Amino acid sequence: MRNILVTGGAGFLGSHLCERLLDRGDNVICVDNFFTGRKDNILPLIGNPRFEVVRHDIVHPFFLEVDQIYNLACPASPIAYQYNPIKTIKTSTVGVVNVLGLAKRCRARVLQASTSEVYGDPEVHPQTEDYWGHVNPLGPRSCYDEGKRVAESLCMNYHHAHGLEVRIIRIFNTYGPRMDPNDGRVISNFLTQSMQGEPLTVYGDGTQTRSFCYVDDLIRGMIALMDQDEETGPINIGNPGEYTMLELAEQVLNLTGSKSEIQFVPLPKDDPKQRCPDITRAKNLLGWTPEVDLVTGLTKTVAYYRDWQARGGVRQSKYRREG
Ligand code: NAD
Ligand code: UDP
């Protein structure tokens, strides 16, 4: 039994991770400031004597005694991380320094949730871990992309300078139950729009691609990376199945049986044109491959969203600033 800290533990991925770690018998402390996280996500875990929740912002130092730290704290949806970009950068820089400082004091192993966004709008396709990326340091996505790049650098420097055990996972687009229906990501938008009979908003001409990994596959890969003793990473974890956003919209319409139309709206600035993980390293080093295909994963997600709607959930713009 280990004592494990999950920052961002009330978020989409964090709540699944906490659940999995509790299931196998660990003690779990979830630290979250509830910016994009929801109490609903961790409600089933409350009452478990091995689970604790602390409302705290990792930008401020904190002191705990743990053996492992999964650092997931950071908004992941573009409209959420662009809502307060300075806060987003602070979370991945000042916040990560606090996490690494805590790990150094406790001699804990840290897994940093990095992202395919470190590759920016990639010119290498599919993306391998040795590709340095093509990121606009000044654009609207830079608060997230550059923050995560600094976070990787901080991890490697703590590793070299202090012998800290670090693990860097580069997560590609992941979806599934508990993904906030109002977080503005493409799968949440398409599902809620199709369920409410609203047009599906395809940004640009819809030819840009993404590769979508089901949450259970992702969490299995994340724990495998943390629990092996050889590799610091970075290691890509994602599903190499690649779809255009138009193909995704059609898939969602088929699955939900919705009569919604497709509406083309302007493409946000710096939206990456293509994204697909090369997962050779994950296969060779962790023995990991994804098992859930898009239709199976979307079907499970639709069931969660239908339940959310039946409980009174409504589509709304959560993170847009007024005026
Ligand atoms: P999410 O927004 O659902 O979860 C992030 C959690 O972090 C939320 O609970 C939020 O309240 C919390 N948080 C944010 N800033 C914080 C702070 N300063 N202090 C404490 N808590 C804070 O997003 P997610 O999809 O679960 O993503 C989790 C992690 O995985 C993030 O670091 C994200 O960058 C990374 N990631 C996710 C994806 C994906 O497709 N889901 C892809 C690449 C990387
Ligand atoms: N997108 C879209 N319609 C939406 C939301 C997003 O066409 O309602 C597109 C977006 O332009 C991007 C892709 O879907 O090309 C994935 O967007 P998301 O915000 O989910 O994540 P990203 O991979 O861009 O961080």
Side-chain angles (χ1 to χ4, degrees):
M1 190 202 284
R2 277 169 292 203
N3 297 315
I4 302 186
L5 166 63
V6 179
T7 74
F12 161 47
L13 298 181
S15 62
H16 284 273
L17 176 64
C18 289
E19 189 180 0
R20 205 65 44 83
L21 297 172
L22 288 168
D23 282 351
R24 73 173 192 189
D26 291 317
N27 294 316
V28 177
I29 305 174
C30 157
V31 166
D32 203 298
N33 70 353
F34 291 96
F35 171 42
T36 52
R38 294 178 299 154
K39 286 185 188 156
D40 218 31
N41 287 343
I42 49 170
L43 214 51
L45 310 182
I46 291 177
N48 184 326
R50 288 183 284 103
F51 185 63
E52 282 176 68
V53 187
V54 181
R55 179 185 280 266
H56 181 80
D57 191 313
I58 64 160
V59 165
H60 303 287
F62 54 114
F63 297 88
L64 295 165
E65 306 303 323
V66 288
D67 306 307
Q68 290 188 342
I69 304 172
Y70 288 87
N71 185 40
L72 273 60
C74 185
S77 159
I79 59 165
Y81 69 64
Q82 289 171 29
Y83 177 79
N84 186 344
I86 295 170
K87 179 62 191 244
T88 300
I89 301 181
K90 279 190 184 172
T91 296
S92 291
T93 54
V94 180
V96 171
V97 169
N98 288 333
V99 167
L100 293 168
L102 172 66
K104 182 171 164 247
R105 184 176 53 78
C106 301
R107 295 195 178 81
R109 183 180 288 180
V110 180
L111 178 140
Q112 167 62 18
S114 190
T115 166
S116 53
E117 284 286 320
V118 300
Y119 302 123
D121 190 4
E123 292 156 318
V124 167
H125 194 73
Q127 290 81 57
T128 47
E129 290 88 348
D130 54 10
Y131 176 47
W132 290 355
H134 181 226
V135 172
N136 176 358
L138 306 175
R141 299 175 82 99
S142 68
C143 59
Y144 184 74
D145 302 8
E146 297 290 17
K148 291 285 188 178
R149 287 165 68 96
V150 171
E152 286 198 10
S153 171
L154 281 166
C155 287
M156 291 316 292
N157 283 303
Y158 268 74
H159 173 62
H160 292 307
H162 301 297
L164 194 73
E165 287 195 274
V166 298
R167 305 287 180 264
I168 298 172
I169 177 174
R170 289 188 180 153
I171 302 170
F172 284 64
N173 296 57
T174 301
Y175 69 100
R178 296 194 206 140
M179 189 171 181
D180 183 350
N182 283 315
D183 76 0
R185 288 189 254 191
V186 67
I187 288 190
S188 6
N189 273 359
F190 286 179
L191 287 180
T192 52
Q193 288 163 341
S194 66
M195 282 172 13
Q196 302 200 353
E198 293 175 15
L200 270 57
T201 51
V202 169
Y203 298 169
D205 63 6
T207 56
Q208 72 273 31
T209 67
R210 293 293 185 275
S211 304
F212 297 102
C213 186
Y214 187 65
V215 61
D216 290 356
D217 283 334
L218 188 280
I219 299 296
R220 187 167 44 82
M222 186 182 270
I223 292 175
L225 175 58
M226 177 64 119
D227 284 349
Q228 54 74 46
D229 294 325
E230 308 300 323
E231 276 299 318
T232 56
I235 293 193
N236 291 337
I237 298 285
N239 190 319
E242 187 181 0
Y243 299 86
T244 67
M245 293 310 101
L246 262 183
E247 286 168 339
L248 177 70
E250 276 151 20
Q251 191 71 262
V252 166
L253 291 177
N254 282 341
L255 272 176
T256 55
S258 165
K259 299 274 178 295
S260 289
E261 293 178 351
I262 287 178
Q263 180 187 9
F264 292 94
V265 302
L267 187 69
K269 190 172 178 325
D270 293 344
D271 197 279
K273 284 185 271 308
Q274 54 183 359
R275 197 181 283 153
C276 178
D278 180 312
I279 57 166
T280 311
R281 290 193 72 187
K283 279 183 186 160
N284 293 344
L285 300 173
L286 307 177
W288 178 89
T289 46
E291 290 168 358
V292 182
D293 62 53
L294 187 63
V295 172
T296 310
L298 279 179
T299 305
K300 293 179 188 208
T301 314
V302 168
Y304 173 83
Y305 277 37
R306 287 216 162 111
D307 180 57
W308 165 80
Q309 194 178 29
R311 288 188 286 122
V314 280
R315 217 182 116 64
Q316 53 180 297
S317 300
K318 228 172 142 180
Y319 301 108
R320 298 237 182 272
R321 281 184 194 277
E322 298 300 321

